[in-house]
Amino acid sequence: HASILRQVEVFCYGTFNEYNADNTLPQLTEPQLEKLKHLTLVSLASENKLLAYDDVKKELGFSNDQQVEGLVIESTYKKLISAKLDQKRRVVEINHVIGRDVRREDLEDIYSKLELWAEACDEALGDISTEIDTANNNASAKKTLDFEFTKAQQALRTEHATEFVSGSGSLARNDSQFLSNEYQREEQRTGGT
């Protein structure tokens, strides 16, 4: 039963080369071999976002580029990966790949990476909070300045209007700062009488 358990492990997180290297494993059927090749491509794609045709051929025992392209196309249709074939450069550009099961010994590494990611998120949230506080402070300062400006402007207008009405100011009767356009036009039409 150990060989069957090992075969299950190969399908969970192993590769085609691992299967070929272990002579104790049971013989696979053609559909099982194809599935293992797809899963091996998934493993390769999760490690590198740019796969050279030669690396895929070596890992899967392929003899030509058409086999690589066929496997990539099949894997794309099965939604195992999202990729583009670059035949000129002979590479597979990986956009997205599904996850596979992980080995127990890989869990600590995954946990460490997640801790680093969480720390980076906390740092980013701190930076965002600082930016929000700065923006709020700037908005509050602008609001205060606008209020003070409006208040000073109103005080000046009140002072000038008071001088004008009392006649103590040196303002001309038709000073356009205080007179409406309609009043100025009427003054001009009647000649100021």
Side-chain angles (χ1 to χ4, degrees):
H1 293 11
S3 64
I4 293 176
L5 176 61
R6 177 67 185 124
Q7 184 176 4
V8 170
E9 288 174 344
V10 168
F11 273 91
C12 286
Y13 36 72
T15 64
F16 186 74
N17 271 349
E18 289 177 33
Y19 169 76
N20 283 338
D22 191 342
N23 294 333
T24 64
L25 293 176
Q27 186 73 26
L28 295 179
T29 64
E30 193 59 36
Q32 290 171 329
L33 281 172
E34 286 301 310
K35 179 163 184 133
L36 188 55
K37 288 177 182 178
H38 287 108
L39 292 172
T40 300
L41 180 63
V42 166
S43 292
L44 291 172
S46 66
E47 294 169 6
N48 299 301
K49 296 301 177 196
L50 199 62
L51 301 174
Y53 277 31
D54 290 336
D55 293 340
V56 177
K57 284 172 26 180
K58 180 181 174 187
E59 189 69 30
L60 295 168
F62 288 159
S63 59
N64 60 53
D65 291 355
Q66 288 76 23
Q67 289 174 301
V68 173
E69 292 168 357
L71 184 69
V72 169
I73 291 168
E74 287 173 13
S75 298
T76 301
Y77 281 129
K78 292 181 180 192
K79 299 192 185 308
L80 300 174
I81 63 170
S82 170
K84 294 179 186 175
L85 293 169
D86 187 338
Q87 294 174 324
K88 184 176 181 181
R89 292 180 12 214
R90 297 183 64 242
V91 294
V92 181
E93 296 176 16
I94 304 298
N95 298 321
H96 173 75
V97 61
I98 65 163
R100 286 192 70 187
D101 291 335
V102 293
R103 302 171 203 254
R104 287 181 191 254
E105 55 267 19
D106 294 336
L107 290 177
E108 191 169 318
D109 183 48
I110 292 170
Y111 181 75
S112 297
K113 288 178 182 176
L114 287 174
E115 279 185 326
L116 289 173
W117 177 77
E119 289 172 11
C121 288
D122 287 342
E123 187 176 316
L125 286 173
D127 291 345
I128 291 170
S129 292
T130 301
E131 290 296 321
I132 289 172
D133 290 344
T134 300
N136 286 338
N137 290 339
N138 289 343
S140 178
K142 184 181 181 319
K143 189 175 182 180
T144 301
L145 284 173
D146 287 347
F147 176 76
E148 293 296 324
F149 177 77
T150 302
K151 195 165 113 178
Q153 198 176 31
Q154 288 173 345
L156 279 173
R157 285 186 178 149
T158 301
E159 181 182 324
H160 286 309
T162 303
E163 289 176 4
F164 180 72
V165 170
S166 67
S168 63
S170 60
L171 298 173
R173 188 170 175 211
N174 62 353
D175 191 336
S176 62
Q177 182 178 4
F178 302 108
L179 302 177
S180 69
N181 288 337
E182 291 83 15
Y183 184 78
Q184 288 177 20
R185 281 195 293 272
E186 183 62 24
E187 284 285 313
Q188 289 172 351
R189 188 179 70 77
T190 62
T193 57

